[in-house]
Amino acid sequence: SPAVKRLAAIAALVFVSLVISLVAGEFAVRWIFRDLTTTTPIESWFGERWKAAHLQRTKGFRERPFSWRKPPGERRLVVVGDSFTVAMGLPDEDRYARRIESALGGDVRVLQMARPGQEFDGHVATLRDDAVRAGADFVLLQFYVNDFELSKLARPRPSRLVGVSWIHAFLYRHSALYAVAALQWNALQANTGLVEDYGSYLQRRYGDPKGESQIAVGLLRKFFEIARTHDIPVGVVLFPVLSDSDEAC
């Protein structure tokens, strides 16, 4: 009937308009953020774009090629840490490990042995299995407040913009428009109190020095004990909390 045909035509027009709008929005977001280098979160479209263009891996780390056997006359400084040390979003020459190497010069090779999301348990394993194997003469441990978070299962989880997990993961990885919308949706939930903000969560979970944080403190001591056993001096570089949740963290 004419009414059904008219309704079908309207539905088709709405559908086509929606598709065109989404495609246009996708290309617009990609163009607007064409110079954006941040990769947080690494699983997003922006993270995938940056990894494809800049991430060089050697033996599982963001590092130039090196051998486990240390060449004669070379001294090695190994930096152990998480995404701050990996320097996600920065070009290779701006990594602080590379800057240290440039400043030291001479026969010093700085090896970056860091992984995004790695905490104290991972730092211990990296020191024991990789830094020692590489013949480290000095180890620099990068420390941030979330290194205490050995298990992320209790971390506040905002509701997804799309409830179906595999659809969310697919869109998050392949769509810049969806990634921006999802990040803003997460921020809205935290700002309106629908979900606990990350700084408050860390304070609640690890603020008591006699509580759960003792596990991480024990791993930190183990890190120093392993280094001492192998006669490797250790330094610690502290990264500040640069956010609105400074006091909570």
Side-chain angles (χ1 to χ4, degrees), residues 22 25-27 29-30 43-46 48 167-182:
L22 289 175
E26 177 68 26
F27 281 101
V29 170
R30 294 189 183 195
E43 302 85 4
S44 70
W45 180 87
F46 297 98
E48 292 296 324
I167 296 178
H168 167 81
F170 177 85
L171 292 174
Y172 202 56
R173 185 178 297 269
H174 294 92
S175 169
L177 176 62
Y178 183 83
V180 170

Side-chain angles (χ1 to χ4, degrees), residues 84-215:
F84 286 103
T85 299
V86 176
M88 310 302 288
L90 291 178
D92 184 72
E93 62 272 14
D94 287 339
R95 295 185 291 124
Y96 77 86
R98 288 294 301 276
R99 288 176 175 263
I100 291 174
E101 183 177 271
S102 297
L104 293 175
D107 59 356
V108 178
R109 174 72 188 273
V110 178
L111 297 178
Q112 178 174 282
M113 294 185 174
R115 296 182 176 91
Q118 182 167 275
E119 317 302 355
F120 278 136
D121 50 350
H123 298 339
V124 169
T126 298
L127 172 64
R128 181 189 62 228
D129 302 334
D130 301 305
V132 171
R133 181 182 179 187
D137 297 290
F138 189 91
V139 168
L140 188 62
L141 173 64
Q142 171 249 306
F143 175 85
Y144 185 65
V145 291
N146 67 357
D147 285 341
F148 285 91
E149 193 185 16
L150 304 178
S151 171
K152 297 177 175 59
L153 295 178
R155 179 181 289 187
R157 302 289 181 184
S159 61
R160 298 187 182 96
L161 193 58
V162 172
V164 182
S165 58
W166 71 267
I167 296 178
H168 167 81
F170 177 85
L171 292 174
Y172 202 56
R173 185 178 297 269
H174 294 92
S175 169
L177 176 62
Y178 183 83
V180 170
L183 288 171
Q184 292 303 309
W185 171 236
N186 291 346
L188 177 64
Q189 293 178 75
N191 292 336
T192 56
L194 294 174
V195 65
E196 185 179 21
D197 69 86
Y198 188 62
S200 298
Y201 151 73
L202 286 178
Q203 175 65 26
R204 171 177 57 79
R205 187 173 177 186
Y206 301 106
D208 182 1
K210 296 182 180 179
E212 191 175 353
S213 60
Q214 282 297 305
I215 301 174

